[in-house]
């Protein structure tokens, strides 16, 4: 069955891999992007998720093209890493505004149609550092930890409408961001990962596809680590 899917921040990295996986499974996939060009073969809608008006406009565009959104993947995010003693208030609040409040904005807009249809799948992309913490990332870690409480609250609110809400916590994934790390830092990180390597964007994409598909129909309120064992026990 071809469903209307929206992936925020879906023009590169993990978001693009998720969008491609769901499209390959037959879904009608749209992605939001803030800058650059939309990915080929997908419906791209320019949108800054810190702006509610832009979110509403993006949803209307998707609804006109594909119908009401049935699967939402809140993936868009930002980071401004800095030690707490040197972190500005804007660096803290802007990261929360994008990563946590941004997820609130898109989820609020998406669930209206899901509640009417009595069906929906919401997947929030968090991070292992939201569970473990990370020096120099107090703002990012707080925003990603907040998605856990947010997602579980939504799971309790929306379960009676056949809407599932789950959280994925990726570990270190092979992206442009990890590729930019010095080799000695990459080696140090891998030593702490039981599987001894970084993950691939497809590892996240296939987990999203499972949660959004028929196999994930009785899973809600879950926090699923895809981190090679880095955050086990949290």
């Amino acid at each position: 069955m071809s469903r209307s899917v929206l992936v925020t921040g879906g023009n590169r990295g993990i978001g693009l891999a998720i969008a491609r996986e769901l499209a390959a499974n037959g879904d009608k996939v749209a992605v939001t992007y803030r800058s650059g060009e939309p990915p080929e073969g997908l419906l791209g809608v320019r949108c800054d998720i810190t702006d509610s008006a832009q979110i509403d406009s993006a949803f209307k565009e998707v609804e006109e093209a594909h119908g009401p959104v049935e699967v939402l993947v809140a993936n868009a995010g930002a980071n401004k890493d800095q030690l707490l003693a040197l972190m500005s208030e804007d660096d803290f609040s802007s990261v929360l505004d994008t990563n946590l409040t941004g997820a609130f904005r898109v989820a609020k807009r998406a669930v209206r149609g899901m509640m009417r249809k009595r069906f929906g799948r919401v997947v929030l992309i968090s991070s292992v550092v939201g569970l473990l913490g990370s020096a120099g990332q107090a703002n990012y870690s707080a925003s990603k930890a907040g998605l856990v409480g947010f997602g579980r609250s939504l799971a309790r609110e929306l379960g009676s409408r056949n809407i599932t809400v789950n959280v994925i916590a990726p570990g270190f994934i092979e992206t442009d961001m990890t590729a930019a790390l010095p080799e000695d830092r990459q080696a140090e990180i891998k030593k702490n990962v039981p599987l001894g390597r970084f993950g691939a964007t497809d590892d996240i994409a296939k987990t999203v596809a499972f949660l959004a598909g028929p196999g994930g129909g009785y899973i809600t309120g879950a926090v699923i680590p895809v981190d090679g064992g880095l955050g086990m026990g949290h």
Side-chain angles (χ1 to χ4, degrees), residues 9-89:
N11 60 323
R12 60 189 176 89
I14 290 172
L16 180 57
I18 293 168
R20 295 281 189 217
E21 178 73 18
L22 294 174
N25 290 344
D27 289 321
K28 298 172 290 187
V29 180
V31 301
T32 70
Y33 66 102
R34 191 171 60 177
S35 59
E37 296 298 321
E40 187 177 345
L42 301 169
L43 173 62
V45 289
R46 192 180 293 275
C47 177
D48 183 339
I49 63 167
T50 65
D51 186 328
S52 295
Q54 288 191 39
I55 289 171
D56 190 53
S57 177
F59 267 85
K60 287 178 179 176
E61 189 173 340
V62 174
E63 288 162 352
E64 288 174 4
H66 294 164
V69 172
E70 297 163 273
V71 178
L72 171 69
V73 183
N75 166 77
N79 66 295
K80 293 183 180 180
D81 297 349
Q82 183 59 272
L83 296 173
L84 180 63
L86 302 175
M87 185 180 292
S88 69
E89 187 169 329

Side-chain angles (χ1 to χ4, degrees), residues 13-14 17-18 170-175 178 197-207 226-228:
I14 290 172
I18 293 168
F172 286 90
I173 305 298
E174 291 177 344
T175 62
T178 53
R197 59 180 174 82
F198 291 160
T201 55
D202 277 354
D203 293 324
I204 310 301
K206 291 186 183 301
T207 307
V226 187
D227 61 7

Side-chain angles (χ1 to χ4, degrees), residues 150-161:
F150 177 64
R152 285 181 161 163
S153 296
L154 290 189
R156 293 185 184 278
E157 280 187 27
L158 301 171
S160 64
R161 301 296 184 99

